[in-house]
Amino acid sequence: MARQATGAAKREAVAEAVRDDKFNARRIELAEAALETLGELGFARTSLREIAQNSAFTHGVFHYYFSDKLDLICCCVRHYKAKCVTRYDEVVATATSRDELTEGFLAKLAATLQTEARMHRLWYDLRSQAMFEAAFRKDVLEIDKSLEAMIWRIASRYAELGGKRPASSPAALYALFDGLFQSALLKHLAGDKGAIPDLLDEVRYLLPTVC
């Protein structure tokens, strides 16, 4: 009898895990659908109803899977940034010289700024809102930490290829690179044609200085 009860409990646990996986997969699907609208309008000017109107899903569906707009936006940015933090991993893993790593990194850096500016703008919008919205803070801090680790992987490998060690902490390096990227993003959004080339020149100069 006890064995039967244990078997039933295991089956229920598996069924619950499957339900959770399907629920989370649906949330990701909805987050993907919402990203374009959020990237265009930003946090303050976007409602769940407006997101629904610009997608193939109803307002009710969004309400079922997300408790509110904050929940949806956090899911969207977590999903997008989870992909971002692995963007440079192949370059880091395959580069055999500092020059090769630099050029591979810069090529991907230019591409993401050129083609995904709206998504990066949404991230900085969310990070600013976290100063006021407590609901955002945990997610923002976790994403920031993952981006810091991303920059550290690049810097550490660059230093290693030169027989050196980074001359700064992971937090300081991230703050430096993030500041340059955010400034370039703003200039790019303002139509400055030199924003991306200037950023690449800054990074090309900076890497050997700090690594």
Side-chain angles (χ1 to χ4, degrees), residues 69-119:
K69 184 176 76 169
L70 301 185
D71 185 22
L72 171 60
I73 292 177
C74 284
C75 182
C76 286
V77 176
R78 277 198 309 270
H79 174 60
Y80 174 68
K81 284 298 179 182
K83 295 187 290 186
C84 283
V85 296
T86 62
R87 174 175 286 117
Y88 308 103
D89 286 358
E90 183 180 358
V91 173
V92 171
T94 59
T96 58
S97 69
R98 285 159 73 95
D99 285 345
E100 188 178 347
L101 177 56
T102 298
E103 296 312 312
F105 173 43
L106 293 181
K108 288 185 176 293
L109 188 66
T112 188
L113 187 52
Q114 181 69 53
T115 63
E116 301 176 9
R118 290 179 179 178
M119 296 299 101

mmCIF file of all heavy atoms in Angstrom, residues 69-119:
data_model
loop_
_atom_site.group_PDB
_atom_site.id
_atom_site.type_symbol
_atom_site.label_atom_id
_atom_site.label_comp_id
_atom_site.label_asym_id
_atom_site.label_seq_id
_atom_site.Cartn_x
_atom_site.Cartn_y
_atom_site.Cartn_z
ATOM 1 N N LYS A 69 1.810 44.257 -15.248
ATOM 2 C CA LYS A 69 2.788 44.692 -16.234
ATOM 3 C C LYS A 69 4.218 44.499 -15.730
ATOM 4 O O LYS A 69 5.121 44.148 -16.503
ATOM 5 C CB LYS A 69 2.549 46.163 -16.586
ATOM 6 C CG LYS A 69 3.470 46.691 -17.688
ATOM 7 C CD LYS A 69 3.135 48.113 -18.084
ATOM 8 C CE LYS A 69 3.611 49.113 -17.061
ATOM 9 N NZ LYS A 69 3.524 50.506 -17.558
ATOM 10 N N LEU A 70 4.446 44.711 -14.456
ATOM 11 C CA LEU A 70 5.784 44.553 -13.897
ATOM 12 C C LEU A 70 6.278 43.118 -14.067
ATOM 13 O O LEU A 70 7.436 42.880 -14.423
ATOM 14 C CB LEU A 70 5.793 44.924 -12.405
ATOM 15 C CG LEU A 70 5.352 46.329 -12.019
ATOM 16 C CD1 LEU A 70 5.551 46.560 -10.527
ATOM 17 C CD2 LEU A 70 6.113 47.384 -12.803
ATOM 18 N N ASP A 71 5.391 42.179 -13.802
ATOM 19 C CA ASP A 71 5.716 40.761 -13.943
ATOM 20 C C ASP A 71 6.091 40.443 -15.388
ATOM 21 O O ASP A 71 7.086 39.750 -15.665
ATOM 22 C CB ASP A 71 4.524 39.920 -13.486
ATOM 23 C CG ASP A 71 4.819 38.422 -13.484
ATOM 24 O OD1 ASP A 71 6.005 38.043 -13.417
ATOM 25 O OD2 ASP A 71 3.854 37.632 -13.523
ATOM 26 N N LEU A 72 5.325 40.958 -16.326
ATOM 27 C CA LEU A 72 5.597 40.718 -17.744
ATOM 28 C C LEU A 72 6.930 41.327 -18.165
ATOM 29 O O LEU A 72 7.745 40.666 -18.828
ATOM 30 C CB LEU A 72 4.472 41.303 -18.600
ATOM 31 C CG LEU A 72 4.718 41.327 -20.124
ATOM 32 C CD1 LEU A 72 4.944 39.920 -20.663
ATOM 33 C CD2 LEU A 72 3.553 41.999 -20.838
ATOM 34 N N ILE A 73 7.174 42.559 -17.780
ATOM 35 C CA ILE A 73 8.401 43.234 -18.200
ATOM 36 C C ILE A 73 9.627 42.545 -17.621
ATOM 37 O O ILE A 73 10.637 42.355 -18.303
ATOM 38 C CB ILE A 73 8.352 44.723 -17.817
ATOM 39 C CG1 ILE A 73 7.287 45.432 -18.664
ATOM 40 C CG2 ILE A 73 9.709 45.386 -18.025
ATOM 41 C CD1 ILE A 73 7.083 46.882 -18.327
ATOM 42 N N CYS A 74 9.551 42.141 -16.364
ATOM 43 C CA CYS A 74 10.671 41.419 -15.763
ATOM 44 C C CYS A 74 10.950 40.128 -16.524
ATOM 45 O O CYS A 74 12.108 39.780 -16.788
ATOM 46 C CB CYS A 74 10.379 41.104 -14.299
ATOM 47 S SG CYS A 74 10.538 42.521 -13.193
ATOM 48 N N CYS A 75 9.894 39.422 -16.891
ATOM 49 C CA CYS A 75 10.046 38.181 -17.654
ATOM 50 C C CYS A 75 10.680 38.466 -19.010
ATOM 51 O O CYS A 75 11.581 37.742 -19.459
ATOM 52 C CB CYS A 75 8.692 37.506 -17.820
ATOM 53 S SG CYS A 75 8.757 35.929 -18.713
ATOM 54 N N CYS A 76 10.230 39.519 -19.668
ATOM 55 C CA CYS A 76 10.759 39.885 -20.984
ATOM 56 C C CYS A 76 12.256 40.168 -20.924
ATOM 57 O O CYS A 76 13.042 39.649 -21.732
ATOM 58 C CB CYS A 76 10.049 41.145 -21.499
ATOM 59 S SG CYS A 76 8.369 40.886 -22.076
ATOM 60 N N VAL A 77 12.636 41.006 -19.980
ATOM 61 C CA VAL A 77 14.039 41.418 -19.919
ATOM 62 C C VAL A 77 14.931 40.275 -19.458
ATOM 63 O O VAL A 77 16.041 40.104 -19.953
ATOM 64 C CB VAL A 77 14.191 42.663 -19.020
ATOM 65 C CG1 VAL A 77 15.656 43.040 -18.878
ATOM 66 C CG2 VAL A 77 13.418 43.830 -19.611
ATOM 67 N N ARG A 78 14.457 39.468 -18.503
ATOM 68 C CA ARG A 78 15.227 38.289 -18.084
ATOM 69 C C ARG A 78 15.473 37.362 -19.274
ATOM 70 O O ARG A 78 16.578 36.855 -19.470
ATOM 71 C CB ARG A 78 14.474 37.515 -16.992
ATOM 72 C CG ARG A 78 14.645 38.048 -15.601
ATOM 73 C CD ARG A 78 14.263 36.999 -14.574
ATOM 74 N NE ARG A 78 12.950 36.409 -14.813
ATOM 75 C CZ ARG A 78 11.820 36.874 -14.320
ATOM 76 N NH1 ARG A 78 11.824 37.955 -13.554
ATOM 77 N NH2 ARG A 78 10.672 36.281 -14.579
ATOM 78 N N HIS A 79 14.430 37.150 -20.064
ATOM 79 C CA HIS A 79 14.535 36.256 -21.221
ATOM 80 C C HIS A 79 15.526 36.811 -22.240
ATOM 81 O O HIS A 79 16.390 36.077 -22.751
ATOM 82 C CB HIS A 79 13.156 36.095 -21.852
ATOM 83 C CG HIS A 79 13.156 35.324 -23.134
ATOM 84 N ND1 HIS A 79 13.595 34.022 -23.233
ATOM 85 C CD2 HIS A 79 12.786 35.690 -24.399
ATOM 86 C CE1 HIS A 79 13.493 33.607 -24.480
ATOM 87 N NE2 HIS A 79 13.016 34.599 -25.198
ATOM 88 N N TYR A 80 15.425 38.092 -22.542
ATOM 89 C CA TYR A 80 16.313 38.700 -23.528
ATOM 90 C C TYR A 80 17.761 38.714 -23.051
ATOM 91 O O TYR A 80 18.686 38.335 -23.779
ATOM 92 C CB TYR A 80 15.849 40.124 -23.843
ATOM 93 C CG TYR A 80 16.803 40.852 -24.749
ATOM 94 C CD1 TYR A 80 16.971 40.455 -26.073
ATOM 95 C CD2 TYR A 80 17.574 41.917 -24.271
ATOM 96 C CE1 TYR A 80 17.867 41.103 -26.904
ATOM 97 C CE2 TYR A 80 18.472 42.569 -25.101
ATOM 98 C CZ TYR A 80 18.616 42.157 -26.416
ATOM 99 O OH TYR A 80 19.505 42.794 -27.235
ATOM 100 N N LYS A 81 17.959 39.106 -21.794
ATOM 101 C CA LYS A 81 19.319 39.206 -21.284
ATOM 102 C C LYS A 81 19.964 37.836 -21.092
ATOM 103 O O LYS A 81 21.186 37.709 -21.138
ATOM 104 C CB LYS A 81 19.334 39.993 -19.972
ATOM 105 C CG LYS A 81 19.171 41.499 -20.165
ATOM 106 C CD LYS A 81 20.314 42.080 -20.987
ATOM 107 C CE LYS A 81 20.181 43.569 -21.217
ATOM 108 N NZ LYS A 81 21.282 44.107 -22.059
ATOM 109 N N ALA A 82 19.163 36.804 -20.858
ATOM 110 C CA ALA A 82 19.713 35.448 -20.747
ATOM 111 C C ALA A 82 20.409 35.052 -22.048
ATOM 112 O O ALA A 82 21.407 34.315 -22.045
ATOM 113 C CB ALA A 82 18.612 34.455 -20.405
ATOM 114 N N LYS A 83 19.877 35.544 -23.163
ATOM 115 C CA LYS A 83 20.518 35.275 -24.453
ATOM 116 C C LYS A 83 21.725 36.186 -24.662
ATOM 117 O O LYS A 83 22.733 35.766 -25.232
ATOM 118 C CB LYS A 83 19.508 35.454 -25.590
ATOM 119 C CG LYS A 83 18.367 34.454 -25.567
ATOM 120 C CD LYS A 83 17.493 34.552 -26.800
ATOM 121 C CE LYS A 83 16.679 35.828 -26.845
ATOM 122 N NZ LYS A 83 15.729 35.852 -27.986
ATOM 123 N N CYS A 84 21.613 37.414 -24.181
ATOM 124 C CA CYS A 84 22.699 38.387 -24.358
ATOM 125 C C CYS A 84 23.992 37.943 -23.696
ATOM 126 O O CYS A 84 25.078 38.128 -24.248
ATOM 127 C CB CYS A 84 22.296 39.741 -23.762
ATOM 128 S SG CYS A 84 21.171 40.695 -24.777
ATOM 129 N N VAL A 85 23.887 37.380 -22.502
ATOM 130 C CA VAL A 85 25.096 37.106 -21.722
ATOM 131 C C VAL A 85 25.953 35.993 -22.325
ATOM 132 O O VAL A 85 27.094 35.805 -21.910
ATOM 133 C CB VAL A 85 24.761 36.769 -20.252
ATOM 134 C CG1 VAL A 85 24.113 37.965 -19.575
ATOM 135 C CG2 VAL A 85 23.883 35.535 -20.143
ATOM 136 N N THR A 86 25.419 35.267 -23.293
ATOM 137 C CA THR A 86 26.213 34.228 -23.950
ATOM 138 C C THR A 86 26.684 34.665 -25.337
ATOM 139 O O THR A 86 27.313 33.880 -26.056
ATOM 140 C CB THR A 86 25.404 32.923 -24.080
ATOM 141 O OG1 THR A 86 24.240 33.165 -24.897
ATOM 142 C CG2 THR A 86 24.957 32.416 -22.713
ATOM 143 N N ARG A 87 26.403 35.899 -25.702
ATOM 144 C CA ARG A 87 26.682 36.372 -27.062
ATOM 145 C C ARG A 87 28.167 36.251 -27.420
ATOM 146 O O ARG A 87 28.518 35.952 -28.563
ATOM 147 C CB ARG A 87 26.219 37.821 -27.200
ATOM 148 C CG ARG A 87 26.599 38.466 -28.537
ATOM 149 C CD ARG A 87 26.009 39.845 -28.676
ATOM 150 N NE ARG A 87 24.587 39.778 -28.936
ATOM 151 C CZ ARG A 87 23.651 40.267 -28.126
ATOM 152 N NH1 ARG A 87 23.996 40.857 -27.008
ATOM 153 N NH2 ARG A 87 22.377 40.181 -28.434
ATOM 154 N N TYR A 88 29.044 36.510 -26.471
ATOM 155 C CA TYR A 88 30.480 36.557 -26.773
ATOM 156 C C TYR A 88 31.215 35.278 -26.393
ATOM 157 O O TYR A 88 32.430 35.197 -26.558
ATOM 158 C CB TYR A 88 31.114 37.753 -26.043
ATOM 159 C CG TYR A 88 30.396 39.055 -26.306
ATOM 160 C CD1 TYR A 88 29.550 39.614 -25.360
ATOM 161 C CD2 TYR A 88 30.549 39.721 -27.523
ATOM 162 C CE1 TYR A 88 28.878 40.796 -25.607
ATOM 163 C CE2 TYR A 88 29.886 40.903 -27.785
ATOM 164 C CZ TYR A 88 29.046 41.443 -26.819
ATOM 165 O OH TYR A 88 28.384 42.607 -27.074
ATOM 166 N N ASP A 89 30.496 34.290 -25.901
ATOM 167 C CA ASP A 89 31.161 33.084 -25.391
ATOM 168 C C ASP A 89 31.941 32.339 -26.469
ATOM 169 O O ASP A 89 33.032 31.814 -26.208
ATOM 170 C CB ASP A 89 30.139 32.151 -24.739
ATOM 171 C CG ASP A 89 29.668 32.659 -23.383
ATOM 172 O OD1 ASP A 89 30.176 33.718 -22.937
ATOM 173 O OD2 ASP A 89 28.803 32.017 -22.769
ATOM 174 N N GLU A 90 31.402 32.271 -27.664
ATOM 175 C CA GLU A 90 32.106 31.558 -28.733
ATOM 176 C C GLU A 90 33.415 32.257 -29.083
ATOM 177 O O GLU A 90 34.446 31.608 -29.293
ATOM 178 C CB GLU A 90 31.226 31.450 -29.977
ATOM 179 C CG GLU A 90 31.874 30.650 -31.105
ATOM 180 C CD GLU A 90 30.999 30.536 -32.339
ATOM 181 O OE1 GLU A 90 29.855 31.043 -32.320
ATOM 182 O OE2 GLU A 90 31.468 29.947 -33.329
ATOM 183 N N VAL A 91 33.376 33.585 -29.135
ATOM 184 C CA VAL A 91 34.590 34.355 -29.421
ATOM 185 C C VAL A 91 35.634 34.103 -28.343
ATOM 186 O O VAL A 91 36.809 33.882 -28.630
ATOM 187 C CB VAL A 91 34.265 35.863 -29.512
ATOM 188 C CG1 VAL A 91 35.541 36.681 -29.624
ATOM 189 C CG2 VAL A 91 33.360 36.148 -30.693
ATOM 190 N N VAL A 92 35.191 34.131 -27.089
ATOM 191 C CA VAL A 92 36.107 33.902 -25.965
ATOM 192 C C VAL A 92 36.713 32.501 -26.047
ATOM 193 O O VAL A 92 37.905 32.296 -25.801
ATOM 194 C CB VAL A 92 35.369 34.097 -24.627
ATOM 195 C CG1 VAL A 92 36.232 33.641 -23.453
ATOM 196 C CG2 VAL A 92 34.973 35.562 -24.443
ATOM 197 N N ALA A 93 35.890 31.529 -26.402
ATOM 198 C CA ALA A 93 36.342 30.140 -26.416
ATOM 199 C C ALA A 93 37.277 29.821 -27.581
ATOM 200 O O ALA A 93 38.153 28.957 -27.455
ATOM 201 C CB ALA A 93 35.134 29.210 -26.466
ATOM 202 N N THR A 94 37.107 30.505 -28.702
ATOM 203 C CA THR A 94 37.862 30.129 -29.908
ATOM 204 C C THR A 94 39.043 31.041 -30.233
ATOM 205 O O THR A 94 39.911 30.653 -31.013
ATOM 206 C CB THR A 94 36.923 30.091 -31.136
ATOM 207 O OG1 THR A 94 36.330 31.400 -31.320
ATOM 208 C CG2 THR A 94 35.816 29.059 -30.940
ATOM 209 N N ALA A 95 39.084 32.235 -29.648
ATOM 210 C CA ALA A 95 40.162 33.173 -29.966
ATOM 211 C C ALA A 95 41.514 32.610 -29.513
ATOM 212 O O ALA A 95 41.640 32.090 -28.403
ATOM 213 C CB ALA A 95 39.906 34.519 -29.303
ATOM 214 N N THR A 96 42.508 32.725 -30.375
ATOM 215 C CA THR A 96 43.841 32.219 -30.044
ATOM 216 C C THR A 96 44.859 33.349 -29.874
ATOM 217 O O THR A 96 46.033 33.098 -29.620
ATOM 218 C CB THR A 96 44.335 31.264 -31.143
ATOM 219 O OG1 THR A 96 44.343 31.946 -32.405
ATOM 220 C CG2 THR A 96 43.431 30.043 -31.236
ATOM 221 N N SER A 97 44.413 34.599 -30.045
ATOM 222 C CA SER A 97 45.302 35.749 -29.841
ATOM 223 C C SER A 97 44.488 36.918 -29.336
ATOM 224 O O SER A 97 43.253 36.942 -29.455
ATOM 225 C CB SER A 97 46.003 36.132 -31.148
ATOM 226 O OG SER A 97 45.062 36.681 -32.071
ATOM 227 N N ARG A 98 45.165 37.901 -28.774
ATOM 228 C CA ARG A 98 44.467 39.093 -28.284
ATOM 229 C C ARG A 98 43.793 39.847 -29.429
ATOM 230 O O ARG A 98 42.663 40.328 -29.287
ATOM 231 C CB ARG A 98 45.462 39.998 -27.539
ATOM 232 C CG ARG A 98 45.808 39.453 -26.157
ATOM 233 C CD ARG A 98 47.123 40.006 -25.639
ATOM 234 N NE ARG A 98 47.073 41.394 -25.210
ATOM 235 C CZ ARG A 98 46.878 41.802 -23.944
ATOM 236 N NH1 ARG A 98 46.696 40.914 -22.994
ATOM 237 N NH2 ARG A 98 46.892 43.079 -23.636
ATOM 238 N N ASP A 99 44.464 39.923 -30.568
ATOM 239 C CA ASP A 99 43.880 40.621 -31.718
ATOM 240 C C ASP A 99 42.615 39.909 -32.199
ATOM 241 O O ASP A 99 41.611 40.554 -32.529
ATOM 242 C CB ASP A 99 44.884 40.705 -32.867
ATOM 243 C CG ASP A 99 45.974 41.736 -32.614
ATOM 244 O OD1 ASP A 99 45.796 42.572 -31.708
ATOM 245 O OD2 ASP A 99 46.999 41.694 -33.323
ATOM 246 N N GLU A 100 42.670 38.587 -32.242
ATOM 247 C CA GLU A 100 41.511 37.817 -32.689
ATOM 248 C C GLU A 100 40.334 37.996 -31.735
ATOM 249 O O GLU A 100 39.187 38.163 -32.166
ATOM 250 C CB GLU A 100 41.887 36.341 -32.777
ATOM 251 C CG GLU A 100 40.803 35.467 -33.418
ATOM 252 C CD GLU A 100 41.227 34.014 -33.525
ATOM 253 O OE1 GLU A 100 42.423 33.707 -33.342
ATOM 254 O OE2 GLU A 100 40.342 33.167 -33.786
ATOM 255 N N LEU A 101 40.611 37.991 -30.448
ATOM 256 C CA LEU A 101 39.551 38.194 -29.464
ATOM 257 C C LEU A 101 38.982 39.605 -29.576
ATOM 258 O O LEU A 101 37.760 39.793 -29.549
ATOM 259 C CB LEU A 101 40.096 37.959 -28.053
ATOM 260 C CG LEU A 101 39.118 38.201 -26.892
ATOM 261 C CD1 LEU A 101 37.852 37.369 -27.051
ATOM 262 C CD2 LEU A 101 39.796 37.902 -25.556
ATOM 263 N N THR A 102 39.850 40.579 -29.727
ATOM 264 C CA THR A 102 39.407 41.973 -29.847
ATOM 265 C C THR A 102 38.474 42.153 -31.037
ATOM 266 O O THR A 102 37.382 42.714 -30.904
ATOM 267 C CB THR A 102 40.611 42.921 -30.000
ATOM 268 O OG1 THR A 102 41.442 42.833 -28.833
ATOM 269 C CG2 THR A 102 40.147 44.358 -30.168
ATOM 270 N N GLU A 103 38.897 41.682 -32.196
ATOM 271 C CA GLU A 103 38.092 41.893 -33.397
ATOM 272 C C GLU A 103 36.781 41.117 -33.354
ATOM 273 O O GLU A 103 35.743 41.606 -33.807
ATOM 274 C CB GLU A 103 38.906 41.528 -34.639
ATOM 275 C CG GLU A 103 40.128 42.411 -34.861
ATOM 276 C CD GLU A 103 39.816 43.908 -34.742
ATOM 277 O OE1 GLU A 103 38.820 44.372 -35.349
ATOM 278 O OE2 GLU A 103 40.558 44.610 -34.030
ATOM 279 N N GLY A 104 36.809 39.910 -32.803
ATOM 280 C CA GLY A 104 35.569 39.147 -32.669
ATOM 281 C C GLY A 104 34.596 39.809 -31.705
ATOM 282 O O GLY A 104 33.391 39.882 -31.966
ATOM 283 N N PHE A 105 35.107 40.282 -30.599
ATOM 284 C CA PHE A 105 34.295 40.982 -29.604
ATOM 285 C C PHE A 105 33.703 42.259 -30.197
ATOM 286 O O PHE A 105 32.501 42.533 -30.068
ATOM 287 C CB PHE A 105 35.162 41.292 -28.384
ATOM 288 C CG PHE A 105 34.502 42.158 -27.345
ATOM 289 C CD1 PHE A 105 33.187 41.959 -26.960
ATOM 290 C CD2 PHE A 105 35.217 43.183 -26.736
ATOM 291 C CE1 PHE A 105 32.582 42.762 -25.987
ATOM 292 C CE2 PHE A 105 34.629 43.984 -25.770
ATOM 293 C CZ PHE A 105 33.308 43.774 -25.397
ATOM 294 N N LEU A 106 34.527 43.044 -30.871
ATOM 295 C CA LEU A 106 34.059 44.317 -31.426
ATOM 296 C C LEU A 106 33.008 44.099 -32.514
ATOM 297 O O LEU A 106 32.062 44.888 -32.626
ATOM 298 C CB LEU A 106 35.234 45.121 -31.975
ATOM 299 C CG LEU A 106 36.250 45.630 -30.949
ATOM 300 C CD1 LEU A 106 37.338 46.436 -31.638
ATOM 301 C CD2 LEU A 106 35.577 46.473 -29.878
ATOM 302 N N ALA A 107 33.168 43.064 -33.313
ATOM 303 C CA ALA A 107 32.192 42.794 -34.373
ATOM 304 C C ALA A 107 30.822 42.499 -33.777
ATOM 305 O O ALA A 107 29.798 43.015 -34.248
ATOM 306 C CB ALA A 107 32.656 41.617 -35.228
ATOM 307 N N LYS A 108 30.793 41.696 -32.737
ATOM 308 C CA LYS A 108 29.515 41.368 -32.095
ATOM 309 C C LYS A 108 28.963 42.554 -31.319
ATOM 310 O O LYS A 108 27.742 42.758 -31.254
ATOM 311 C CB LYS A 108 29.685 40.151 -31.185
ATOM 312 C CG LYS A 108 29.860 38.847 -31.951
ATOM 313 C CD LYS A 108 29.908 37.649 -31.047
ATOM 314 C CE LYS A 108 29.987 36.348 -31.844
ATOM 315 N NZ LYS A 108 28.756 36.076 -32.600
ATOM 316 N N LEU A 109 29.845 43.347 -30.733
ATOM 317 C CA LEU A 109 29.416 44.544 -30.004
ATOM 318 C C LEU A 109 28.741 45.535 -30.947
ATOM 319 O O LEU A 109 27.677 46.081 -30.642
ATOM 320 C CB LEU A 109 30.628 45.182 -29.334
ATOM 321 C CG LEU A 109 30.378 46.339 -28.380
ATOM 322 C CD1 LEU A 109 29.603 45.880 -27.146
ATOM 323 C CD2 LEU A 109 31.699 46.982 -27.954
ATOM 324 N N ALA A 110 29.344 45.745 -32.107
ATOM 325 C CA ALA A 110 28.760 46.654 -33.099
ATOM 326 C C ALA A 110 27.417 46.129 -33.588
ATOM 327 O O ALA A 110 26.453 46.891 -33.740
ATOM 328 C CB ALA A 110 29.719 46.826 -34.277
ATOM 329 N N ALA A 111 27.333 44.819 -33.820
ATOM 330 C CA ALA A 111 26.099 44.227 -34.343
ATOM 331 C C ALA A 111 24.948 44.365 -33.357
ATOM 332 O O ALA A 111 23.824 44.703 -33.739
ATOM 333 C CB ALA A 111 26.328 42.756 -34.682
ATOM 334 N N THR A 112 25.211 44.118 -32.081
ATOM 335 C CA THR A 112 24.121 44.197 -31.109
ATOM 336 C C THR A 112 23.651 45.629 -30.907
ATOM 337 O O THR A 112 22.465 45.882 -30.724
ATOM 338 C CB THR A 112 24.524 43.555 -29.759
ATOM 339 O OG1 THR A 112 23.372 43.491 -28.913
ATOM 340 C CG2 THR A 112 25.604 44.347 -29.036
ATOM 341 N N LEU A 113 24.568 46.575 -30.974
ATOM 342 C CA LEU A 113 24.162 47.980 -30.834
ATOM 343 C C LEU A 113 23.384 48.439 -32.062
ATOM 344 O O LEU A 113 22.414 49.193 -31.951
ATOM 345 C CB LEU A 113 25.396 48.849 -30.621
ATOM 346 C CG LEU A 113 25.165 50.331 -30.284
ATOM 347 C CD1 LEU A 113 24.197 50.484 -29.115
ATOM 348 C CD2 LEU A 113 26.488 51.012 -29.961
ATOM 349 N N GLN A 114 23.770 47.947 -33.217
ATOM 350 C CA GLN A 114 23.106 48.343 -34.461
ATOM 351 C C GLN A 114 21.714 47.735 -34.589
ATOM 352 O O GLN A 114 20.757 48.414 -34.970
ATOM 353 C CB GLN A 114 23.967 47.908 -35.658
ATOM 354 C CG GLN A 114 23.390 48.281 -37.013
ATOM 355 C CD GLN A 114 23.420 49.770 -37.253
ATOM 356 O OE1 GLN A 114 24.474 50.399 -37.118
ATOM 357 N NE2 GLN A 114 22.291 50.362 -37.602
ATOM 358 N N THR A 115 21.570 46.459 -34.269
ATOM 359 C CA THR A 115 20.324 45.746 -34.566
ATOM 360 C C THR A 115 19.391 45.581 -33.365
ATOM 361 O O THR A 115 18.223 45.256 -33.553
ATOM 362 C CB THR A 115 20.628 44.351 -35.141
ATOM 363 O OG1 THR A 115 21.326 43.567 -34.152
ATOM 364 C CG2 THR A 115 21.491 44.459 -36.394
ATOM 365 N N GLU A 116 19.890 45.764 -32.150
ATOM 366 C CA GLU A 116 19.070 45.501 -30.968
ATOM 367 C C GLU A 116 19.007 46.704 -30.031
ATOM 368 O O GLU A 116 18.855 46.553 -28.816
ATOM 369 C CB GLU A 116 19.601 44.272 -30.231
ATOM 370 C CG GLU A 116 19.600 43.027 -31.102
ATOM 371 C CD GLU A 116 20.217 41.818 -30.409
ATOM 372 O OE1 GLU A 116 20.495 41.890 -29.192
ATOM 373 O OE2 GLU A 116 20.422 40.800 -31.070
ATOM 374 N N ALA A 117 19.112 47.885 -30.606
ATOM 375 C CA ALA A 117 19.142 49.104 -29.787
ATOM 376 C C ALA A 117 17.889 49.245 -28.919
ATOM 377 O O ALA A 117 17.965 49.674 -27.763
ATOM 378 C CB ALA A 117 19.307 50.332 -30.689
ATOM 379 N N ARG A 118 16.731 48.885 -29.469
ATOM 380 C CA ARG A 118 15.487 49.029 -28.702
ATOM 381 C C ARG A 118 15.478 48.128 -27.469
ATOM 382 O O ARG A 118 14.985 48.511 -26.407
ATOM 383 C CB ARG A 118 14.284 48.704 -29.580
ATOM 384 C CG ARG A 118 14.001 49.741 -30.664
ATOM 385 C CD ARG A 118 12.818 49.319 -31.497
ATOM 386 N NE ARG A 118 12.496 50.283 -32.517
ATOM 387 C CZ ARG A 118 11.525 50.125 -33.406
ATOM 388 N NH1 ARG A 118 10.785 49.013 -33.382
ATOM 389 N NH2 ARG A 118 11.276 51.050 -34.303
ATOM 390 N N MET A 119 16.000 46.927 -27.618
ATOM 391 C CA MET A 119 16.031 46.007 -26.485
ATOM 392 C C MET A 119 16.990 46.494 -25.407
ATOM 393 O O MET A 119 16.696 46.401 -24.213
ATOM 394 C CB MET A 119 16.435 44.613 -26.951
ATOM 395 C CG MET A 119 15.452 43.959 -27.905
ATOM 396 S SD MET A 119 13.801 43.722 -27.180
ATOM 397 C CE MET A 119 12.913 45.115 -27.913
#
